[in-house]
Amino acid sequence: MKLIHFSDTHLGFNDLDVINELGINQREADFYDAFTQVIEQIKAIKPDYIIHTGDLFHRPSPSNRAITFALEQFKIIEALNIPFIMIAGNHSTPRTNLSSPILKIFENFKNVYVSYNQEYKKIEFDDVIFHTLPHMHDETKALSQIELCEANIDTTKRNIMMLHCSVGAHYLMAEFGEWVYPHDKESLFSKVDYVALGHWHGFGKVGKHENVYYAGSTERTSLNDKRNSKGFLEVTLDEALHVNYHEIQIRPIKTYEIDCEDYEHSVESLHVNDTKDALVEVKLTHLTPLQSIDIQTRDIKNLFGEALHVSIKREFKQTNGEATLNDIEALSLEAYFLEHIKEESQPEEFERLKGKIQGLFSAYEEVSDDTL
């Protein structure tokens, strides 16, 4: 038996305010391209089953474009005549009963089976049972649904669990309402042939469990995700389990550091020839407040003229025992002014003035943008 396992496609995600030649947010288009690549490889591999472990869409109420794209792709999948089993993730699960679950739109597809009602659902075929546990807001209810899953295991068939959750704290995504699978129920994993996980955006086997895998996402939803490898899993269940990771092509992310203690030499040493259409992150280190005023954001971005987007982080030199200022992207006059006030005033007075100063600079930034 062969199946394709992919997850966290986040259709409809957009970011960076970069528009392509078709008038679509370029990062949104990147997510569509990643999904299309997976479908093209599915057509070549011809698996027995396809499974998707959550967050098909980035939002519970996706845009018309995201819905239209998904329906077009699922028409292609339907024509393959391969069963496609899909569960809801936290991003595609409404937080109230006022919204209809978006995965309902796929219920009229002959070969698509969906699980989204925050409860266990058994999806059974002649040779295999898919035990689906979609994202659940209520962890108390989740425990009873896991027990229901365990009661439905059939040792005369293959058994595959599908979950969208964190299996242990290491796999938390720091998102509101994410579901953590109870540790004392991990013994259930040994009773099934394969556990297909979604939610964590990196590929990998989970801990000591030889049959428990995250497929990872097919694209980045944050520039903090530095992975340049995304893809899907080809899972073969014969006498033993075989998991093969397939990489797809995504927009690369490149990271650079400019040491401001030797600014000119550090800039001259940069290798920027391979940054065309890439996402670039530049960290300015050992900055002083006065240097930060002199070093223009626009000048740094011009070093990477062919990149899709350049993100700049400013890391200040620690002086006089003061805490380092991190992640300042814009012209750092505000940070310089606050440091000056802090040195010249008592702690209580500084706290009183700090909010007023930040409000003034916030108003300034609304009418001034040195990146234009």
Side-chain angles (χ1 to χ4, degrees):
M1 179 187 299
K2 182 178 293 185
L3 57 91
I4 296 298
H5 171 201
F6 71 123
S7 190
D8 293 84
T9 45
H10 289 272
L11 300 178
F13 175 87
N14 61 69
D15 194 19
L16 306 181
D17 294 327
V18 179
I19 306 301
N20 67 13
E21 65 279 3
L22 300 176
I24 301 172
N25 179 277
Q26 183 58 65
R27 290 297 290 142
E28 180 179 350
D30 289 347
F31 280 70
Y32 297 148
D33 177 68
F35 192 95
T36 301
Q37 288 186 59
V38 176
I39 300 308
E40 287 302 309
Q41 293 205 41
I42 287 173
K43 288 161 68 175
I45 295 171
K46 297 182 176 63
D48 299 300
Y49 299 94
I50 307 164
I51 60 176
H52 187 290
T53 47
D55 286 349
L56 176 72
F57 294 106
H58 187 60
R59 296 177 178 84
S61 300
S63 67
N64 289 344
R65 181 185 291 119
I67 294 172
T68 299
F69 173 83
L71 290 173
E72 290 171 347
Q73 292 300 308
F74 273 81
K75 286 182 180 178
I76 296 171
I77 295 168
E78 183 84 340
L80 299 176
N81 203 31
I82 299 172
F84 189 118
I85 300 92
M86 177 168 50
I87 64 175
N90 58 307
H91 278 262
S92 49
T93 300
R95 293 175 184 170
T96 71
N97 293 328
L98 299 177
S99 299
S100 177
I102 186 61
L103 295 191
K104 287 186 70 173
I105 66 174
F106 300 106
E107 287 190 330
N108 291 327
F109 283 81
K110 176 183 176 183
N111 294 312
V112 179
Y113 303 82
V114 289
S115 175
Y116 54 79
N117 280 332
Q118 301 188 61
E119 61 187 17
Y120 167 77
K121 183 177 180 180
K122 181 171 73 171
I123 300 173
E124 187 169 4
F125 298 89
D126 290 340
D127 54 349
V128 61
I129 300 174
F130 293 93
H131 302 276
T132 65
L133 288 159
H135 170 75
M136 300 184 194
H137 292 315
D138 186 344
E139 293 192 5
T140 304
K141 178 181 177 182
L143 183 60
S144 66
Q145 299 307 299
I146 293 170
E147 292 172 348
L148 188 58
C149 170
E150 186 169 15
N152 276 279
I153 291 175
D154 185 346
T155 57
T156 67
K157 295 185 177 184
R158 298 285 191 184
N159 292 270
I160 296 173
M161 283 183 72
M162 294 173 59
L163 304 100
H164 189 93
C165 62
S166 300
V167 179
H170 177 75
Y171 299 102
L172 286 168
M173 292 289 291
E175 295 176 344
F176 176 79
E178 55 190 327
W179 172 33
V180 180
Y181 188 88
H183 178 69
D184 60 357
K185 287 296 182 180
E186 289 184 22
S187 59
L188 175 56
F189 297 160
S190 63
K191 300 180 181 180
V192 300
D193 296 279
Y194 180 66
V195 181
L197 297 175
H199 185 55
W200 179 250
H201 283 191
F203 154 70
K205 181 175 72 69
V206 175
K208 64 186 179 185
H209 305 291
E210 296 297 329
N211 64 334
V212 182
Y213 282 83
Y214 281 101
S217 64
T218 53
E219 249 290 358
R220 303 181 194 88
T221 57
S222 169
L223 294 184
N224 291 326
D225 183 352
K226 299 297 191 296
R227 303 177 186 92
N228 274 319
S229 180
K230 297 288 184 180
F232 65 94
L233 306 185
E234 179 183 350
V235 180
T236 304
L237 286 167
D238 293 324
E239 293 182 1
L241 171 68
H242 301 280
V243 178
N244 184 25
Y245 175 72
H246 291 258
E247 185 174 359
I248 61 174
Q249 298 300 310
I250 62 169
R251 190 177 302 279
I253 186 168
K254 305 284 186 178
T255 59
Y256 296 87
E257 182 175 317
I258 296 176
D259 186 347
C260 295
E261 287 189 335
D262 192 4
Y263 179 77
E264 297 295 337
H265 179 263
S266 191
V267 168
E268 290 174 0
S269 302
L270 292 174
H271 299 285
V272 300
N273 296 330
D274 59 346
T275 59
K276 181 177 174 58
D277 297 326
L279 301 170
V280 172
E281 181 179 276
V282 184
K283 181 186 288 186
L284 304 179
T285 61
H286 302 117
L287 264 174
T288 66
L290 287 176
Q291 270 185 311
S292 187
I293 294 173
D294 291 334
I295 299 173
Q296 300 286 308
T297 296
R298 176 176 52 211
D299 293 338
I300 300 298
K301 290 186 175 182
N302 286 342
L303 297 172
F304 306 91
E306 293 188 306
L308 177 73
H309 178 78
V310 180
S311 171
I312 301 171
K313 296 187 176 182
R314 298 181 181 234
E315 186 177 281
F316 284 74
K317 183 186 296 185
Q318 189 170 350
T319 58
N320 300 324
E322 300 294 343
T324 301
L325 296 171
N326 292 314
D327 299 343
I328 300 175
E329 285 195 31
L331 189 68
S332 192
L333 184 59
E334 177 184 351
Y336 172 71
F337 194 80
L338 282 170
E339 282 293 288
H340 175 74
I341 295 298
K342 190 172 185 178
E343 290 176 0
E344 298 296 323
S345 62
Q346 295 297 318
E348 297 81 9
E349 182 71 2
F350 172 71
E351 289 301 321
R352 185 182 69 81
L353 294 172
K354 181 179 178 182
K356 292 184 177 182
I357 293 168
Q358 290 173 330
L360 288 171
F361 275 93
S362 177
Y364 164 78
E365 289 172 354
E366 290 179 2
V367 296
S368 175
D369 182 0
D370 94 318
T371 65
L372 296 177

